[in-house]
Amino acid sequence: MLPFIDDILRYDSLSIVGLEKNTGKTECLKYVLDRLPVESKRIAVTSIGIDGETVDQVTRTQKPEITLREGMYFGTSEMHYRQRRLVSELIDVSDENTSLGRVVTAKAITGGKILLSGPSSASSLKRWMSEMHRLNIDLVIIDGALSRMSSASPAVSQSMILATGAAYSANLTTLVSKTAHVVDLINLDLTSEENYKTLAPLDKGVWFIDKNGVLTGLDAVTSLSHDIHFEGMENCATLYVAGALVDGFLEKVRKNKTLRQVELVVRDFTKIFVSPQQFRLFLKTGGRISVLQKSKLIAVTVNPTSPSGYILDSDVLCGKLSEAIQLPVYDLLKNKQ
């Protein structure tokens, strides 16, 4: 058994997120579910997308089914709950509707296969997780959907596993570079506790804290605004973007001489939509980016095969990526233990 299974148990929640479809996210979920100690831990699982189909609804490729073990709790839509192939005890039916009906929470009385299609938004997912913890669940696992990195937000889960692979890029160098960029964002340092207390309640706009600790809001509504001005900020110590951080804003901060030594803060890595080039250039010129919240990156997994049939060398991919991110990288299909 790979060592990151023990690491998972140190946290009360885990997101498994794929950087693209067919990067092995569902295989990773299967690997984790098969190896967690259900005899001693209460485990609950859901998906912010749809998982467990035998054929991917977008790419039409074969997908591994999800098998739950006896004693596991799960959240799925009414439609997929009716299609379950296991005996279960009904726990709750939510008041919130998804496109596939209300979310049903149940406990597996026998092991069996299930389609997972749970809460459809980060806010409803957080509510579902809170209900699970009220049931004394030790670990909640969230299977993230395509391009829904919000499921990996530290506001949702304490830890995460990142799945990447040839479906993300069939070019080894590009794949390593793009994945390493995401890992760099996940691993950004936390800002100070003092900054957190001041900035956490602010969910909109662009703000700055001067060297005397005074908080001021900029006229710009978001970092996407074209007419952002930084006049009167010579005394700025911390610049906070409550929403999305994008290339244009980052470039304006970098080119403003009075802001080169300030700390740029965002809520968490899922709010950062900057290119690797702009990110590296900002850091190279003395810029510093930190976050209010962060998740612990437990592991990175790879699928060296793309849906088109292109296959990268697994050992080379794991080695190059591990060297770039300074973390172990696993091909779970090759190293089933």
Side-chain angles (χ1 to χ4, degrees):
M1 185 170 68
L2 294 174
F4 67 80
I5 297 296
D6 288 335
D7 294 337
I8 290 171
L9 297 172
R10 298 174 185 171
Y11 302 91
D12 67 18
S13 51
L14 169 75
S15 291
I16 301 176
V17 179
L19 290 181
E20 183 58 82
K21 274 187 172 293
N22 300 110
T23 53
K25 175 174 60 67
T26 306
E27 280 293 349
C28 180
L29 176 63
K30 286 181 58 181
Y31 184 93
V32 170
L33 292 178
D34 287 347
R35 288 160 179 79
L36 288 171
V38 292
E39 318 80 25
S40 58
K41 298 290 182 180
R42 291 160 68 90
I43 311 296
V45 60
T46 191
S47 174
I48 203 168
I50 300 175
D51 255 298
E53 314 127 301
T54 55
V55 177
D56 189 283
Q57 297 303 305
V58 176
T59 63
R60 308 310 301 172
T61 52
Q62 291 294 313
K63 290 191 65 176
E65 294 180 287
I66 299 299
T67 301
L68 298 184
R69 294 156 65 192
E70 179 184 344
M72 285 183 168
Y73 292 71
F74 62 95
T76 194
S77 66
E78 289 179 284
M79 175 185 291
H80 289 150
Y81 183 73
R82 288 192 290 267
Q83 297 172 6
R84 70 196 185 282
R85 284 178 282 166
L86 51 79
V87 178
S88 61
E89 174 190 351
L90 181 64
I91 303 296
D92 180 64
V93 180
S94 77
D95 296 328
E96 297 182 47
N97 269 306
T98 71
S99 59
L100 300 176
R102 294 171 295 177
V103 175
V104 176
T105 302
K107 178 182 179 181
I109 302 302
T110 65
K113 298 186 184 300
I114 186 74
L115 282 161
L116 291 176
S117 53
S120 57
S121 69
S123 57
S124 57
L125 179 60
K126 285 172 66 176
R127 284 191 289 273
W128 185 83
M129 292 174 67
S130 295
E131 289 299 321
M132 292 300 95
H133 291 308
R134 275 193 279 272
L135 291 174
N136 296 318
I137 296 297
D138 296 300
L139 173 66
V140 177
I141 300 175
I142 309 135
D143 198 16
L146 175 67
S147 300
R148 297 289 289 277
M149 293 293 278
S150 60
S151 64
S153 167
V156 175
S157 63
Q158 289 187 352
S159 65
M160 65 179 293
I161 295 175
L162 194 67
T164 187
Y168 191 41
S169 176
N171 180 282
L172 177 63
T173 302
T174 303
L175 173 58
V176 169
S177 176
K178 291 173 68 175
T179 304
H181 174 60
V182 176
V183 172
D184 284 342
L185 300 183
I186 294 169
N187 288 332
L188 285 170
D189 291 335
L190 287 168
T191 190
S192 67
E193 185 66 27
E194 185 178 357
N195 278 349
Y196 177 84
K197 291 177 181 177
T198 301
L199 300 173
L202 308 173
D203 57 3
K204 293 180 182 178
V206 180
W207 305 75
F208 76 92
I209 302 172
D210 68 21
K211 293 175 183 177
N212 296 315
V214 178
L215 177 70
T216 304
L218 297 189
D219 292 335
V221 177
T222 73
S223 69
L224 301 174
S225 303
H226 295 291
D227 57 345
I228 296 174
H229 301 287
F230 297 122
E231 288 83 2
M233 295 180 61
E234 292 78 10
N235 209 28
C236 175
T238 302
L239 182 61
Y240 176 58
V241 177
L245 176 63
V246 296
D247 275 353
F249 184 86
L250 195 63
E251 185 175 17
K252 288 177 182 177
V253 174
R254 176 175 58 82
K255 290 182 176 179
N256 189 300
K257 292 182 180 180
T258 64
L259 298 178
R260 285 193 177 164
Q261 301 302 314
V262 306
E263 177 187 7
L264 179 57
V265 180
V266 294
R267 184 161 295 277
D268 62 64
F269 85 96
T270 67
K271 301 294 186 183
I272 303 177
F273 301 90
V274 299
S275 65
Q277 295 79 12
Q278 282 288 350
F279 181 73
R280 286 195 297 268
L281 189 58
F282 182 78
L283 298 182
K284 187 176 181 180
T285 53
R288 183 161 57 108
I289 303 177
S290 57
V291 292
L292 296 182
Q293 300 170 298
K294 67 184 294 183
S295 291
K296 173 64 177 178
L297 181 60
I298 296 287
V300 175
T301 67
V302 297
N303 176 9
T305 303
S306 73
S308 60
Y310 192 86
I311 303 175
L312 297 173
D313 185 292
S314 175
D315 292 336
V316 173
L317 172 57
C318 290
K320 293 284 188 183
L321 185 53
S322 180
E323 182 181 359
I325 66 176
Q326 296 297 296
L327 286 170
V329 177
Y330 306 101
D331 179 346
L332 296 182
L333 282 180
K334 184 176 181 180
N335 296 290
K336 283 194 172 181
Q337 298 179 36

